[in-house]
Amino acid sequence: MLISITKLLHGVELPVLLVSIFKYNSAHFDKRLSSTLYLVGFACTSSVIATVLSPLAGYSYEKYGFAESYLFMGALVFCTTFISIFLLRASKPASATLLPQSSAV
């Protein structure tokens, strides 16, 4: 049951992650580079990391079992997320200063 809940959380996590990546790219880089940075920076990097971590996950399945492996990976993701809450700070770009807008009504 706990494994099913952990897997279902990925359905919520992935869209939030993608939105945050595009918001960061559009805030810190030229708008035309947003999709290129996503493709190279996120998609390719996640594929390489999956290639590296897959054998480690397979070894963990064999040694500790499926349930314990997923609980360990979920705990690792939770710890990383909890630490990032404190380490990642929102910063406003210089162009975010509010300028008075004239009303065209």
Side-chain angles (χ1 to χ4, degrees):
M1 176 72 171
L2 190 57
I3 294 172
S4 299
I5 293 170
T6 304
K7 284 187 166 187
L8 285 175
L9 285 176
H10 183 68
V12 176
E13 171 213 6
L14 191 59
V16 171
L17 181 66
L18 291 177
V19 168
S20 64
I21 287 170
F22 277 109
K23 282 183 77 171
Y24 179 83
N25 285 345
S26 65
H28 295 285
F29 300 101
D30 187 14
K31 306 287 188 253
R32 295 172 288 176
L33 292 176
S34 182
S35 61
T36 304
L37 288 171
Y38 164 74
L39 179 66
V40 173
F42 179 72
C44 292
T45 303
S46 63
S47 296
V48 170
I49 289 174
T51 303
V52 171
L53 291 180
S54 291
L56 296 175
Y59 175 76
S60 176
Y61 289 171
E62 289 179 2
K63 183 163 179 145
Y64 302 111
F66 183 78
E68 288 81 11
S69 298
Y70 263 90
L71 289 175
F72 176 73
M73 287 187 278
L76 187 65
V77 168
F78 175 77
C79 291
T80 304
T81 304
F82 187 74
I83 291 170
S84 68
I85 288 171
F86 300 107
L87 295 179
L88 297 176
R89 304 248 186 254
S91 62
K92 293 186 178 183
S95 65
T97 58
L98 296 176
L99 298 175
Q101 296 181 1
S102 62
S103 177
V105 177

mmCIF file of all heavy atoms in Angstrom, residues 28-48:
data_model
loop_
_atom_site.group_PDB
_atom_site.id
_atom_site.type_symbol
_atom_site.label_atom_id
_atom_site.label_comp_id
_atom_site.label_asym_id
_atom_site.label_seq_id
_atom_site.Cartn_x
_atom_site.Cartn_y
_atom_site.Cartn_z
ATOM 1 N N HIS A 28 15.778 33.432 -15.656
ATOM 2 C CA HIS A 28 17.219 33.652 -15.618
ATOM 3 C C HIS A 28 17.899 33.624 -16.986
ATOM 4 O O HIS A 28 19.085 33.952 -17.083
ATOM 5 C CB HIS A 28 17.885 32.629 -14.709
ATOM 6 C CG HIS A 28 17.477 32.775 -13.279
ATOM 7 N ND1 HIS A 28 17.942 33.774 -12.470
ATOM 8 C CD2 HIS A 28 16.622 32.056 -12.515
ATOM 9 C CE1 HIS A 28 17.409 33.674 -11.275
ATOM 10 N NE2 HIS A 28 16.594 32.625 -11.273
ATOM 11 N N PHE A 29 17.200 33.201 -18.024
ATOM 12 C CA PHE A 29 17.804 33.085 -19.347
ATOM 13 C C PHE A 29 16.899 33.732 -20.377
ATOM 14 O O PHE A 29 15.739 34.044 -20.106
ATOM 15 C CB PHE A 29 18.051 31.619 -19.718
ATOM 16 C CG PHE A 29 18.962 30.911 -18.767
ATOM 17 C CD1 PHE A 29 18.458 30.061 -17.799
ATOM 18 C CD2 PHE A 29 20.332 31.102 -18.828
ATOM 19 C CE1 PHE A 29 19.294 29.405 -16.915
ATOM 20 C CE2 PHE A 29 21.177 30.458 -17.942
ATOM 21 C CZ PHE A 29 20.658 29.614 -16.986
ATOM 22 N N ASP A 30 17.428 33.903 -21.566
ATOM 23 C CA ASP A 30 16.654 34.444 -22.675
ATOM 24 C C ASP A 30 15.482 33.505 -22.975
ATOM 25 O O ASP A 30 15.622 32.284 -22.924
ATOM 26 C CB ASP A 30 17.562 34.586 -23.899
ATOM 27 C CG ASP A 30 16.898 35.292 -25.056
ATOM 28 O OD1 ASP A 30 15.834 35.900 -24.842
ATOM 29 O OD2 ASP A 30 17.461 35.241 -26.167
ATOM 30 N N LYS A 31 14.348 34.086 -23.294
ATOM 31 C CA LYS A 31 13.139 33.283 -23.520
ATOM 32 C C LYS A 31 13.299 32.293 -24.664
ATOM 33 O O LYS A 31 12.731 31.219 -24.644
ATOM 34 C CB LYS A 31 11.953 34.196 -23.826
ATOM 35 C CG LYS A 31 11.695 35.271 -22.804
ATOM 36 C CD LYS A 31 11.106 34.716 -21.547
ATOM 37 C CE LYS A 31 10.668 35.840 -20.617
ATOM 38 N NZ LYS A 31 11.505 36.026 -19.482
ATOM 39 N N ARG A 32 14.106 32.635 -25.647
ATOM 40 C CA ARG A 32 14.295 31.735 -26.790
ATOM 41 C C ARG A 32 15.090 30.492 -26.426
ATOM 42 O O ARG A 32 15.038 29.493 -27.109
ATOM 43 C CB ARG A 32 14.977 32.475 -27.930
ATOM 44 C CG ARG A 32 14.112 33.596 -28.495
ATOM 45 C CD ARG A 32 14.879 34.405 -29.475
ATOM 46 N NE ARG A 32 15.860 35.187 -28.723
ATOM 47 C CZ ARG A 32 16.769 35.967 -29.258
ATOM 48 N NH1 ARG A 32 16.850 36.072 -30.557
ATOM 49 N NH2 ARG A 32 17.606 36.647 -28.510
ATOM 50 N N LEU A 33 15.833 30.547 -25.328
ATOM 51 C CA LEU A 33 16.653 29.412 -24.917
ATOM 52 C C LEU A 33 15.927 28.449 -23.987
ATOM 53 O O LEU A 33 16.473 27.408 -23.635
ATOM 54 C CB LEU A 33 17.919 29.905 -24.213
ATOM 55 C CG LEU A 33 18.931 30.645 -25.065
ATOM 56 C CD1 LEU A 33 20.067 31.146 -24.190
ATOM 57 C CD2 LEU A 33 19.454 29.750 -26.153
ATOM 58 N N SER A 34 14.725 28.784 -23.581
ATOM 59 C CA SER A 34 14.034 28.004 -22.564
ATOM 60 C C SER A 34 13.884 26.530 -22.950
ATOM 61 O O SER A 34 14.214 25.641 -22.173
ATOM 62 C CB SER A 34 12.664 28.613 -22.283
ATOM 63 O OG SER A 34 12.010 27.903 -21.276
ATOM 64 N N SER A 35 13.394 26.249 -24.143
ATOM 65 C CA SER A 35 13.192 24.854 -24.536
ATOM 66 C C SER A 35 14.515 24.134 -24.757
ATOM 67 O O SER A 35 14.642 22.955 -24.454
ATOM 68 C CB SER A 35 12.332 24.768 -25.793
ATOM 69 O OG SER A 35 12.958 25.432 -26.861
ATOM 70 N N THR A 36 15.529 24.857 -25.261
ATOM 71 C CA THR A 36 16.839 24.233 -25.465
ATOM 72 C C THR A 36 17.474 23.874 -24.132
ATOM 73 O O THR A 36 18.028 22.782 -23.969
ATOM 74 C CB THR A 36 17.762 25.182 -26.253
ATOM 75 O OG1 THR A 36 17.127 25.522 -27.481
ATOM 76 C CG2 THR A 36 19.102 24.536 -26.531
ATOM 77 N N LEU A 37 17.382 24.788 -23.173
ATOM 78 C CA LEU A 37 17.928 24.502 -21.849
ATOM 79 C C LEU A 37 17.202 23.339 -21.194
ATOM 80 O O LEU A 37 17.812 22.511 -20.522
ATOM 81 C CB LEU A 37 17.836 25.739 -20.960
ATOM 82 C CG LEU A 37 18.790 26.860 -21.312
ATOM 83 C CD1 LEU A 37 18.471 28.099 -20.509
ATOM 84 C CD2 LEU A 37 20.223 26.426 -21.069
ATOM 85 N N TYR A 38 15.886 23.265 -21.389
ATOM 86 C CA TYR A 38 15.136 22.143 -20.846
ATOM 87 C C TYR A 38 15.603 20.841 -21.473
ATOM 88 O O TYR A 38 15.849 19.862 -20.778
ATOM 89 C CB TYR A 38 13.632 22.326 -21.083
ATOM 90 C CG TYR A 38 12.871 21.045 -20.895
ATOM 91 C CD1 TYR A 38 12.656 20.533 -19.629
ATOM 92 C CD2 TYR A 38 12.410 20.324 -21.983
ATOM 93 C CE1 TYR A 38 11.982 19.345 -19.445
ATOM 94 C CE2 TYR A 38 11.733 19.143 -21.818
ATOM 95 C CZ TYR A 38 11.521 18.660 -20.548
ATOM 96 O OH TYR A 38 10.872 17.477 -20.379
ATOM 97 N N LEU A 39 15.710 20.835 -22.804
ATOM 98 C CA LEU A 39 16.076 19.612 -23.509
ATOM 99 C C LEU A 39 17.445 19.122 -23.081
ATOM 100 O O LEU A 39 17.631 17.954 -22.741
ATOM 101 C CB LEU A 39 16.035 19.843 -25.016
ATOM 102 C CG LEU A 39 16.419 18.653 -25.887
ATOM 103 C CD1 LEU A 39 15.381 17.565 -25.728
ATOM 104 C CD2 LEU A 39 16.533 19.070 -27.323
ATOM 105 N N VAL A 40 18.427 20.010 -23.086
ATOM 106 C CA VAL A 40 19.790 19.609 -22.762
ATOM 107 C C VAL A 40 19.975 19.456 -21.259
ATOM 108 O O VAL A 40 20.517 18.469 -20.772
ATOM 109 C CB VAL A 40 20.801 20.625 -23.333
ATOM 110 C CG1 VAL A 40 22.205 20.319 -22.874
ATOM 111 C CG2 VAL A 40 20.718 20.640 -24.844
ATOM 112 N N GLY A 41 19.499 20.445 -20.521
ATOM 113 C CA GLY A 41 19.776 20.475 -19.086
ATOM 114 C C GLY A 41 18.984 19.484 -18.274
ATOM 115 O O GLY A 41 19.475 18.954 -17.286
ATOM 116 N N PHE A 42 17.762 19.219 -18.654
ATOM 117 C CA PHE A 42 16.935 18.340 -17.836
ATOM 118 C C PHE A 42 16.735 16.973 -18.460
ATOM 119 O O PHE A 42 16.996 15.956 -17.829
ATOM 120 C CB PHE A 42 15.578 18.999 -17.567
ATOM 121 C CG PHE A 42 14.659 18.148 -16.751
ATOM 122 C CD1 PHE A 42 14.898 17.955 -15.405
ATOM 123 C CD2 PHE A 42 13.574 17.526 -17.334
ATOM 124 C CE1 PHE A 42 14.057 17.156 -14.647
ATOM 125 C CE2 PHE A 42 12.728 16.731 -16.593
ATOM 126 C CZ PHE A 42 12.969 16.548 -15.239
ATOM 127 N N ALA A 43 16.270 16.940 -19.694
ATOM 128 C CA ALA A 43 15.931 15.664 -20.325
ATOM 129 C C ALA A 43 17.156 14.774 -20.513
ATOM 130 O O ALA A 43 17.145 13.594 -20.144
ATOM 131 C CB ALA A 43 15.229 15.904 -21.646
ATOM 132 N N CYS A 44 18.230 15.324 -21.062
ATOM 133 C CA CYS A 44 19.434 14.518 -21.281
ATOM 134 C C CYS A 44 20.100 14.141 -19.962
ATOM 135 O O CYS A 44 20.538 13.002 -19.780
ATOM 136 C CB CYS A 44 20.419 15.268 -22.172
ATOM 137 S SG CYS A 44 19.822 15.459 -23.857
ATOM 138 N N THR A 45 20.147 15.084 -19.039
ATOM 139 C CA THR A 45 20.773 14.798 -17.749
ATOM 140 C C THR A 45 19.992 13.738 -16.989
ATOM 141 O O THR A 45 20.590 12.840 -16.381
ATOM 142 C CB THR A 45 20.871 16.087 -16.918
ATOM 143 O OG1 THR A 45 21.597 17.061 -17.663
ATOM 144 C CG2 THR A 45 21.571 15.839 -15.607
ATOM 145 N N SER A 46 18.667 13.814 -17.022
ATOM 146 C CA SER A 46 17.885 12.800 -16.313
ATOM 147 C C SER A 46 18.047 11.422 -16.963
ATOM 148 O O SER A 46 18.030 10.407 -16.263
ATOM 149 C CB SER A 46 16.422 13.204 -16.245
ATOM 150 O OG SER A 46 15.869 13.277 -17.534
ATOM 151 N N SER A 47 18.231 11.372 -18.275
ATOM 152 C CA SER A 47 18.465 10.083 -18.929
ATOM 153 C C SER A 47 19.809 9.484 -18.532
ATOM 154 O O SER A 47 19.914 8.282 -18.273
ATOM 155 C CB SER A 47 18.413 10.245 -20.446
ATOM 156 O OG SER A 47 17.151 10.641 -20.862
ATOM 157 N N VAL A 48 20.828 10.333 -18.463
ATOM 158 C CA VAL A 48 22.146 9.848 -18.044
ATOM 159 C C VAL A 48 22.110 9.381 -16.591
ATOM 160 O O VAL A 48 22.655 8.327 -16.246
ATOM 161 C CB VAL A 48 23.213 10.947 -18.263
ATOM 162 C CG1 VAL A 48 24.528 10.579 -17.613
ATOM 163 C CG2 VAL A 48 23.399 11.209 -19.744
#
